[in-house]
């Protein structure tokens, strides 16, 4: 990392920035997210500055996901959750971090992922609408509706 660059997660690991530490081991650190989606929303970060989790060393990946699993299980028990949403990032803050978000059916995050999954599943349905039979049917319906105000 260049001398002028700054990384909040590196500062947290080094003890130079404040954080609400939940758990840590030799390679990973779990902290509360200061901009939480829900109560208990955590970030699991690698202690070494690496933007993408898949570029970490094997032992770092093992630590990262072991800590994520352990904290998620504690979240499930202590917060009486339905599930914990997990996803990895490194884009906005270029330092590997895994989001652990306590989630319940039909909350904001659950609705977002449901919408994303529906979007992912929609291309076959949209392709069917391009079928000539479907287009002719739509045309007939619209023509039958008339243009009377």
């Amino acid at each position: 990392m260049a001398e002028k660059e700054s990384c909040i997660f590196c500062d947290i690991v080094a003890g130079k920035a404040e954080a609400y530490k939940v758990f840590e081991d030799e390679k990973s650190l779990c902290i509360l997210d200061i901009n939480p989606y829900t109560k208990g929303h955590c970030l699991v970060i690698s202690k070494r500055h690496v933007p993408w989790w898949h570029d970490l060393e094997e032992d770092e990946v093992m630590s990262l996901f072991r800590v994520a699993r352990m904290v998620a299980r504690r979240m499930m028990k202590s917060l009486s959750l339905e599930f914990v949403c997990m996803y990895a990032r490194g884009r906005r803050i270029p330092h590997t971090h895994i989001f652990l978000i306590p989630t319940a059916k039909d909350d904001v995050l659950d609705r977002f992922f449901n919408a994303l999954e529906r979007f992912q599943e929609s291309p076959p349905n949209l392709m069917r609408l391009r079928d000539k039979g479907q287009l002719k049917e739509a045309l007939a319906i619209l023509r039958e509706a008339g243009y009377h105000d």
Side-chain angles (χ1 to χ4, degrees):
M1 190 164 61
E3 191 174 323
K4 290 187 179 185
E5 289 184 56
S6 175
C7 173
I8 186 61
F9 292 156
C10 287
D11 289 347
I12 289 169
V13 168
K16 296 177 185 176
E18 184 180 35
Y20 298 92
K21 293 182 182 181
V22 174
F23 181 83
E24 71 180 299
D25 69 10
E26 324 72 54
K27 306 279 182 184
S28 302
L29 172 64
C30 180
I31 58 175
L32 286 176
D33 193 311
I34 60 168
N35 296 306
Y37 291 129
T38 59
K39 185 176 186 173
H41 172 176
C42 292
L43 301 174
V44 182
I45 63 176
S46 64
K47 288 189 174 180
R48 187 167 67 95
H49 183 88
V50 176
W52 306 111
W53 72 268
H54 45 80
D55 290 331
L56 292 168
E57 297 296 326
E58 178 121 4
D59 60 336
E60 293 170 313
V61 172
M62 296 292 287
S63 167
L64 196 71
F65 284 91
R66 182 176 46 251
V67 169
R69 180 176 182 232
M70 184 195 64
V71 172
R73 285 180 168 183
R74 288 181 183 180
M75 286 176 164
M76 292 290 294
K77 185 176 180 181
S78 62
L79 297 171
S80 301
L81 303 172
E82 185 175 352
F83 66 100
V84 175
C85 179
M86 180 190 89
Y87 65 96
R89 287 288 288 171
R91 170 71 65 208
R92 195 173 58 79
I93 300 173
H95 185 123
T96 295
H97 53 294
I98 293 178
F99 283 71
L100 296 178
I101 305 170
T103 309
K105 183 176 176 25
D106 207 35
D107 69 8
V108 172
L109 198 60
D110 187 46
R111 288 193 309 267
F112 169 75
F113 280 108
N114 285 338
L116 190 61
E117 289 164 357
R118 282 192 292 278
F119 179 76
Q120 182 182 21
E121 295 164 355
S122 67
N125 294 329
L126 294 174
M127 288 300 292
R128 280 193 283 282
L129 293 173
R130 294 175 62 181
D131 176 75
K132 286 186 181 191
Q134 290 287 322
L135 289 170
K136 288 178 183 178
E137 181 181 324
L139 180 61
I141 291 169
L142 293 174
R143 285 184 175 167
E144 288 175 20
Y147 295 96
H148 308 289
D149 289 334

